[in-house]
Amino acid sequence: MNDHLQVSSSQYEDKGNLLLRLEEAQHRLGYLSEQAMSELAESLGISVSEVYGVATFYSFLSTRPQGKYVIRVCKGLPCCLKDSDIVISSIEAAIGIRPGDTTPDGKFSLELTNCIGACDSAPAMLVNSELHVGLTSRRISQILKTYE
Amino acid sequence: MPEQRVVLRNCGVINPGSIATYLAVDGFKALNKARGMTPEQVIQEVKDSGLRGRGGAGFPCGLKWELARNAPGDTKYVICNADEGEVGTFKDRYILANDPFMLIEGMAIAGYAIGADMGYIYLRAEYQYLNGSLVKAIDQVREQGLLVDFDITIRQGAGAYVCGEESALMDSIEGKRGEVRYRPPFPPTKGLWDQPTVINNVETLMNIPQIMLNGADWFNGMGTERSKGTKVFSVSGDVSKPGVYEMVLGSPLRELVEGLAGAERVKAIQIGGATGRIVPYDMMDTPLSFEDILGAGAITVFDESRDMVDIVHKTLQFLAEESCGKCTPCREGTEVMAGILERFARGEGDERDIKDMERLSQAMMLSALCGLGQAAPNPVLDSLQHFRGDYESRMQEKRGSVAR
Ligand code: FES
């Protein structure tokens, strides 16, 4: 039973699993380049447009180069109630870019996101996969300094 | 009514990084007990308990398991939906971080009951920081030889609100775009890779070991006629003690919001996230149950300083962004409503706008393809019913500015 399980779940499914391959490529390259996507299409025997369709569907996958650190500030309602707009403007001021942009030195990208499940200590944000909560303008500069 | 900890009983008690601490509080006794029973007996126990899904829809858990058990198929799957996406919900994050073992035990019992040899935990992208500790927990369970003929893998989501919906979630595990499928067929007969599949919420699975250990009668002794057991709530917004609280189903909203979370001067409460219901202060004695209001247990509190037009505007903006676009009523409806609310927020709305929103709401409730579109008008209709004054004062603002 266990041998069968290996073949059906781990090997066959995983190798042919487009989303897993995209997540892996994103992790390795930092973003999904056209070249990476067409190579993936070829190795899986599917069209580039299918690969592109999945790549653009998910907000944690990016088809454009991104900063080393992607800041995702929550704009969900519970965070709004705790003045997330002030947090957003202090981040904009600190790194000099608007949501959707990347700093010229390629260090930070800034994005707004919906509820990230930390509303009990709102306002909250993710930097890559790290969670930061209870944000204030003052804490923002301290936190950003820890990302070199 | 005080807190009653069933699902959260080990949170803050055990060390989530050490299986020994879980074994010390009767961990995996329920799984052993289940293995001494036939799968049919296990399913019967869950059916008798009256446990219903905790992700929002409230489908009877035992019935779902029975359908999957009886469905023909060589390979069956158990999926734990850890794609907690309802705005204002964070209970699953708290559970995953504090007691991964009881979840794994619940999944293993589900696997035994339906005859699955593979389980997936679909973890939302935003909770990637929990991935490592979950993997470690699964490894420890495996090393103890407790996963027999059943294994568990984590699938990391990649950021898509709609993937909390079960058919979209399965697409995503298969590696595709997550799209809502027309149904039937339902997952218990034709799910992941077209095989019989049980999808349960984190909190639903957390109840299973306790039901196996203490029996169906103990469990269905708690709650109301059609809502058995407890519910874990995520309370946020204008409260002095935001956090995760577990209460017996049927407890009044007031106990939770004022009693436990310490809210004062409450104006309104949104229950069940963006598509949930908005209730005014004078409905604070409403019981929290499937019969009344529940959702996945997101409770967002607004005090008297808040204007409901702003709240509903933000909510509809969110829904317009998250609509998957597959069906017209939802795609267009949320967009148009967000636009109208934008006008109200600027003080430019009028009576005709209100009529339009009411008409659109009816159309969406009747014709949208999935739950999101059907429930999207809830915040609009509830706020119009209970807080019409907030809309009217925005109209007066306009009259004021025209007169000037
Ligand atoms: S709304 Fe920001 S974490 Fe939930």
Side-chain angles (χ1 to χ4, degrees), chain A residues 13 17 23 53 58-60 117, chain B residues 93 156 158-159 173 176-177:
Chain A
E13 290 169 9
N17 191 297
E23 285 177 340
Y58 293 98
S59 63
F60 276 58
Chain B
R93 179 209 83 213
Q156 187 70 63
I173 293 183
K176 308 175 197 153
R177 297 163 64 98

Side-chain angles (χ1 to χ4, degrees), chain A residues 74 76-79 115-119 124, chain B residues 87-88:
Chain A
C74 180
L77 182 55
C79 280
C115 181
I116 55 176
C119 341
Chain B
V87 178

Side-chain angles (χ1 to χ4, degrees), chain B residues 333-368:
Chain B
T334 50
E335 195 69 51
V336 171
M337 289 213 226
I340 293 177
L341 288 159
E342 170 93 49
R343 281 210 297 282
F344 270 100
R346 288 199 311 254
E348 291 167 10
D350 58 30
E351 277 296 336
R352 225 187 19 230
D353 286 329
I354 291 183
K355 290 253 153 50
D356 284 348
M357 285 199 290
E358 284 169 342
R359 252 205 318 270
L360 256 173
S361 298
Q362 298 307 329
M364 289 166 72
M365 289 191 292
L366 288 173
S367 59

Side-chain angles (χ1 to χ4, degrees), chain A residues 21-50:
Chain A
R21 300 284 298 272
L22 286 169
E23 285 177 340
E24 184 269 325
Q26 165 98 26
H27 187 71
R28 187 163 37 89
L29 307 168
Y31 80 107
L32 301 165
S33 62
E34 295 216 346
Q35 194 192 340
M37 284 192 283
S38 49
E39 281 171 11
L40 209 50
E42 195 166 335
S43 84
L44 295 175
I46 55 177
S47 69
V48 177
S49 69
E50 191 176 334

Side-chain angles (χ1 to χ4, degrees), chain B residues 133-152:
Chain B
S133 57
L134 282 173
V135 169
K136 261 190 224 139
I138 296 168
D139 285 347
Q140 290 182 48
V141 177
R142 210 183 278 126
E143 277 159 23
Q144 295 273 330
L146 291 162
L147 289 178
V148 183
D149 294 337
F150 182 73
D151 206 359
I152 299 176

Side-chain angles (χ1 to χ4, degrees), chain A residues 87-108:
Chain A
V87 168
I88 294 166
S89 24
S90 32
I91 297 175
E92 286 175 347
I95 59 177
I97 54 170
R98 312 264 304 164
D101 292 340
T102 298
T103 52
D105 63 359
K107 190 165 161 193
F108 291 113

Side-chain angles (χ1 to χ4, degrees), chain B residues 312-326:
Chain B
V312 176
H313 176 213
K314 290 229 163 66
T315 301
L316 262 292
Q317 262 179 341
F318 165 76
L319 291 172
E321 267 174 43
E322 295 300 331
S323 171
C324 79
K326 192 162 177 170

